[in-house]
């Protein structure tokens, strides 16, 4: 970490908003005008809309992450967490991955921590659940599902086999519907290479407490998406929640009980709870309360945006929707980050702030290879697509939204190769514990029992 007498712009979080805001600030900033410091526990940004395709093996995991130091070569990138903020002294406490925590002074502050999985105190969830917020979880889910097929193929115990081939997904929003669609597609392909496993032997279950899935694309497309998934043999239970999942025994509110080794949890997100330590004004659900200018309420040197922010949706309010807030999606995060970056520069130079207003452009979702739903908003007209064309829209939109041309090209290359080459169905479960085999080979041998025998005999005599 370098020390500087220039003003410091501290960006807390290196996700979509943090990366793009820092990039925008450095683009608009004069040479030597300020120091930009980005703090995040990971040294990369993850493009989360592609995690279901990572879980299905359609995209290489390395291609959906963007190295912060490579994209922000003139910024300070610190790998750690901001655990506290003293607004009176304008000092942040940074806890690095190793070593002692230290104080970092700042002049301007950007809060871009994003969100974490929203969970409930359900017995067994912490031990059994697999989230879908990070690339590690996407890789882990893929390896885990393929490992279950390996287990089912190699056992003669019918109960073990049934538990391995039952997959439960909780949450029917974009993340849940896309993930179960992609994973079912992958498992169907993988089953072709197993002699004793067919698709009919597998059981896929999608559970949601709401009365519909895919609410982001509207009721008609949501209904089509539900019918499409059901046509592929996926069981969908709506208006249903999970009571417990101890040791893989899943109990649903509707009375259904199944044993499963796989429980994927995608039941929404919530703001990072560390925000409560920063002394910022928070909304009823824990979001940082922001003005339309993306400034934190009551301050003129702190900005926020993205999933951790409660930002008024001016476009919706203009259309007559009271108390409308910007939804937590990549579409808003990208556009907010640009306005935020411009406003930080304006605030530093004493110029007026610009308000953020953006009309919804629609939503796209992929449900496996060549399957998807899309709602495109063009003025007052809504274009609704389903099937292969919607899937092309999904890939086209997110492919172009992927940060940096380096990653765009790699993602499109993965897709192009996937048109000609068969999907990989190799489980690399050892990635979870890569040193286990070496440890078994290198651990000290136990002392032979015969060594202590003479001493014991002498003692007895």
């Amino acid at each position: 970490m370098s020390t500087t007498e220039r003003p410091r712009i501290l960006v807390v979080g290196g996700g979509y908003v943090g990366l793009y805001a820092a990039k925008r600030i450095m683009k608009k900033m004069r040479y030597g005008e300020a120091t930009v410091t980005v703090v995040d526990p990971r040294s990369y940004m993850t493009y989360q809309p592609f995690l279901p395709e990572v879980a299905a093996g359609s995209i290489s995991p390395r291609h959906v992450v963007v190295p912060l130091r490579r994209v922000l070569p003139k910024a300070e990138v610190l790998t750690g967490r901001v655990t506290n903020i003293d607004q009176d002294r304008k000092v942040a406490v940074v806890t690095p991955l190793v070593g002692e925590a230290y104080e970092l002074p700042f002049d301007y502050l950007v809060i871009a921590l994003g969100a974490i999985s929203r969970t409930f105190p359900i017995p067994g969830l912490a031990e059994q659940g697999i989230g879908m917020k990070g690339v590690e979880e996407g890789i882990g889910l893929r390896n885990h599902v393929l490992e279950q097929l390996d287990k089912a193929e190699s056992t003669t115990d019918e109960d073990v086999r049934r538990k391995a081939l039952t997959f439960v997904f909780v949450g029917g929003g974009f993340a849940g519907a896309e993930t179960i669609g992609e994973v079912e597609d992958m498992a169907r392909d993988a089953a072709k290479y197993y002699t004793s496993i067919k698709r009919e032997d597998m059981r896929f279950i999608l559970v949601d407490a709401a009365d519909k899935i895919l609410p982001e694309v509207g009721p008609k497309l949501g209904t089509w998406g539900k019918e499409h998934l059901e046509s592929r043999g996926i069981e969908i239970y709506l208006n249903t929640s999970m009571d417990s999942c101890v040791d893989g025994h899943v109990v649903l509110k509707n009375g259904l009980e199944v044993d499963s080794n796989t429980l994927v949890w995608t039941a929404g997100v919530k703001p990072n709870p560390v925000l409560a330590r920063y002394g910022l004004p928070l909304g009823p659900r824990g979001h940082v309360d922001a003005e339309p200018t993306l400034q934190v309420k009551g301050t003129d040197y702190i900005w926020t945006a993205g999933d951790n922010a409660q930002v008024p949706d001016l476009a919706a309010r203009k259309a007559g929707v009271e108390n409308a807030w910007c939804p937590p999606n990549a579409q808003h995060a990208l556009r907010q980050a640009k306005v935020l970056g411009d406003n930080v520069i304006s605030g530093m130079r004493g110029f007026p702030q610009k308000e953020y207003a953006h009309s919804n452009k629609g939503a796209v979702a992929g449900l496996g290879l060549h399957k998807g739903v899309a709602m495109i908003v063009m003025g007052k007209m809504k274009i609704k697509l389903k099937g292969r064309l919607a899937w092309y829209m999904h890939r086209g939109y997110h492919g172009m939204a992927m940060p940096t041309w380096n990653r765009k090209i790699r993602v499109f290359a993965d897709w192009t190769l996937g048109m000609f080459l068969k999907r990989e169905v190799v489980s690399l479960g050892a990635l979870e514990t890569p040193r286990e085999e070496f440890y078994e080979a290198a651990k000290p041998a136990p002392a032979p029992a015969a060594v202590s025998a003479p001493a014991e005999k002498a003692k007895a005599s």
Side-chain angles (χ1 to χ4, degrees):
M1 183 191 69
S2 66
T3 57
T4 176
E5 301 206 355
R6 293 178 291 184
R8 185 189 302 277
I9 302 168
L10 176 60
V11 180
V12 183
Y16 217 127
V17 170
L19 171 67
Y20 268 104
K23 196 174 178 183
R24 184 81 169 186
I25 290 167
M26 300 192 74
K27 180 181 178 182
K28 296 292 185 82
M29 197 170 60
R30 302 188 195 103
Y31 177 76
E33 188 174 5
T35 298
V36 177
T37 302
V38 180
V39 181
D40 194 277
R42 294 183 174 90
S43 61
Y44 54 84
M45 169 265 188
T46 303
Y47 190 68
Q48 292 177 349
F50 279 153
L51 291 182
E53 293 206 44
V54 168
S58 299
I59 301 177
S60 170
R62 295 191 308 276
H63 299 166
V64 303
V65 296
V66 181
L68 296 176
R69 288 183 175 85
R70 182 170 181 174
V71 180
L72 305 170
K74 295 181 181 178
E76 289 181 342
V77 177
L78 307 179
T79 307
R81 300 177 188 275
V82 172
T83 52
N84 211 337
I85 291 174
D86 187 332
Q87 294 186 49
D88 295 331
R89 296 169 53 220
K90 286 192 175 181
V91 166
V93 177
V94 177
T95 303
L97 292 185
V98 292
E100 297 290 324
Y102 56 86
E103 291 188 340
L104 186 68
F106 62 84
D107 299 275
Y108 306 96
L109 183 63
V110 175
I111 304 296
L113 279 176
I116 64 171
S117 295
R118 182 184 62 190
T119 58
F120 302 100
I122 298 173
L125 178 59
E127 294 78 16
Q128 300 293 323
I130 302 171
M132 278 298 285
K133 288 291 293 175
V135 68
E136 302 88 353
E137 291 170 319
I139 300 169
L141 177 58
R142 169 180 163 75
N143 289 329
H144 174 83
V145 169
L146 292 173
E147 193 174 4
Q148 299 313 302
L149 302 187
D150 291 342
K151 286 180 180 178
E153 174 87 344
S154 58
T155 185
T156 56
D157 188 318
E158 197 56 40
D159 290 336
V160 172
R161 175 184 168 87
R162 190 181 305 111
K163 190 173 183 179
L165 295 179
T166 301
F167 308 95
V168 179
F169 293 70
V170 180
F174 266 5
E178 288 189 308
T179 303
I180 196 170
E182 293 283 358
V183 170
E184 190 275 339
D185 225 10
M186 177 191 70
R188 184 187 294 270
D189 278 354
K192 299 172 185 174
Y193 302 98
Y194 292 83
T195 56
S196 68
I197 299 177
K198 297 182 176 61
R199 171 60 183 92
E200 294 74 27
D201 300 325
M202 304 179 211
R203 190 176 183 186
F204 283 85
I205 299 172
L206 178 62
V207 180
D208 198 290
D211 60 354
K212 56 183 175 292
I213 67 168
L214 294 170
E216 300 90 341
V217 294
K220 285 189 178 180
L221 287 177
T223 300
W224 182 89
K226 176 178 178 291
E227 292 172 352
H228 167 76
L229 292 176
E230 287 176 330
S231 72
R232 290 160 56 181
I234 296 173
E235 301 172 39
I236 299 179
Y237 299 100
L238 302 179
N239 298 307
T240 301
S241 56
M242 185 174 68
D243 283 342
S244 68
C245 54
V246 177
D247 295 330
H249 183 68
V250 178
V251 180
L252 303 183
K253 265 280 195 278
N254 62 1
L256 179 67
E257 297 187 25
V258 295
D259 288 319
S260 172
N261 288 334
T262 309
L263 175 67
V264 182
W265 183 269
T266 58
V269 296
K270 65 179 180 181
N272 197 311
V274 77
L275 292 170
R277 300 186 205 161
Y278 291 177
L280 302 171
L282 302 181
R285 293 177 297 163
H287 298 79
V288 180
D289 205 1
E291 301 282 1
T293 57
L294 304 178
Q295 288 174 305
V296 174
K297 282 196 172 181
T299 73
D300 61 358
Y301 65 95
I302 306 176
W303 290 262
T304 188
D307 292 0
N308 69 184
Q310 180 177 271
V311 179
D313 189 341
L314 297 186
R317 294 186 182 194
K318 189 177 179 180
V321 182
E322 294 183 13
N323 296 322
W325 307 98
C326 295
N329 57 33
Q331 184 180 151
H332 279 288
L334 172 60
R335 289 165 174 81
Q336 286 174 357
K338 292 179 179 177
V339 174
L340 187 153
D342 291 346
N343 281 349
V344 170
I345 294 294
S346 297
M348 192 165 54
R349 296 174 183 169
F351 295 143
Q353 297 284 292
K354 178 184 175 184
E355 291 187 339
Y356 171 77
H358 168 68
S359 299
N360 180 29
K361 299 298 182 187
V364 290
L367 300 174
L369 280 177
H370 309 137
K371 300 170 279 284
V373 291
M375 180 183 69
I376 313 301
V377 180
M378 300 180 68
K380 294 184 178 180
M381 185 171 60
K382 291 183 179 179
I383 302 173
K384 298 176 182 177
L385 305 171
K386 55 192 178 185
R388 187 182 285 261
L389 185 57
W391 178 75
Y392 284 131
M393 293 291 297
H394 161 76
R395 282 202 160 181
Y397 172 79
H398 285 299
M400 293 310 297
M402 182 73 198
T404 78
W405 280 103
N406 179 302
R407 288 306 188 258
K408 283 182 175 66
I409 292 169
R410 291 178 186 273
V411 166
F412 278 105
D414 284 342
W415 287 338
T416 304
L417 288 171
M419 294 167 59
F420 304 102
L421 304 176
K422 291 184 179 179
R423 195 199 305 253
E424 288 286 351
V425 291
V426 178
S427 168
L428 298 176
L431 281 173
E432 315 293 331
T433 53
R435 292 192 64 253
E436 186 173 353
E437 189 173 341
F438 180 81
Y439 175 77
E440 288 297 323
K443 69 180 181 181
V451 172
S452 57
E456 293 291 331
K457 189 178 287 186
K459 191 175 180 182
S461 62

